[in-house]
Amino acid sequence: MSDCIFCMLANGAIPTAKLYEDEHFAVILDANPASKGHALILPKEHHANLFEMPDELAAEAFILAKKIASRMKDALKCDGFNIVQNNGEAAGQTVFHFHIHIIPRYEGSERIVAWKPGTLTDDLRSEILEKFQSAE
Ligand code: 5GP
Ligand code: ZN
């Protein structure tokens, strides 16, 4: 995709500091980091989201996320990670080229991945199970 910013960053059409690169992926620093070390795993091939990724490439992406986070932990001495992967505008995706956020977390910093807990009622549980099973 010639007008996709992540295609350009992953394939070197726009220079950026790369933490890591291999045949299929580039890992870059997020331009608006949620924390020190916030990185993005980008496939070099354009796929809009997880559902458009070939299974093998998706598996490779999450294995790479584990590797990058492990190395980041040693390098930056962070205390935890949020691994975030948004799909679709409704989920907050703003760049429609698959990416995984690796967000190092540090003791004492505020929670950034949070939601207001709801209640799983009996009706809701039955409705979801029924719909999910019939969608097989
Ligand atoms: P999304 O909301 O789609 O999951 O995340 C997109 C991420 O891409 C955001 O965290 C945003 O800061 C980052 N981003 C957007 N444009 C650029 C860019 O040109 N360079 C870099 N390094 N990061 C970007
Ligand atoms: Zn792209």
Side-chain angles (χ1 to χ4, degrees):
M1 282 256 297
S2 58
D3 59 349
C4 170
I5 183 80
F6 281 3
C7 278
M8 292 189 248
L9 289 164
N11 292 287
I14 297 178
T16 189
K18 281 185 182 149
L19 291 177
Y20 172 91
E21 183 169 20
D22 63 23
E23 191 189 345
H24 296 138
F25 296 94
V27 182
I28 68 169
L29 289 173
D30 195 292
N32 306 105
S35 72
K36 181 171 142 190
H38 182 169
L40 299 170
I41 307 240
L42 309 178
K44 291 185 173 178
E45 244 176 46
H46 183 87
H47 301 286
N49 54 44
L50 181 61
F51 305 101
E52 295 194 4
M53 286 277 278
D55 285 356
E56 268 190 29
L57 197 63
E60 240 187 275
F62 283 97
I63 291 166
L64 181 57
K66 181 180 171 189
K67 267 194 208 158
I68 297 294
S70 305
R71 189 157 155 195
M72 191 75 89
K73 190 168 168 25
D74 292 341
L76 298 183
K77 312 290 178 222
C78 54
D79 303 300
F81 283 93
N82 293 124
I83 308 287
V84 177
Q85 202 275 305
N86 297 326
N87 293 282
E89 213 172 331
Q93 186 177 6
T94 59
V95 180
F96 296 91
H97 174 126
F98 173 93
H99 52 282
I100 302 175
H101 295 262
I102 309 289
I103 307 175
R105 304 313 319 276
Y106 301 89
E107 290 298 350
S109 60
E110 63 176 333
R111 244 179 106 176
I112 56 171
V113 178
W115 56 87
K116 189 165 163 261
T119 303
L120 182 63
T121 61
D122 291 345
D123 282 355
L124 201 50
R125 184 189 299 108
S126 310
E127 181 195 332
I128 296 163
L129 288 177
E130 197 180 300
K131 286 184 173 167
F132 187 79
Q133 276 148 12
S134 62
E136 225 181 307

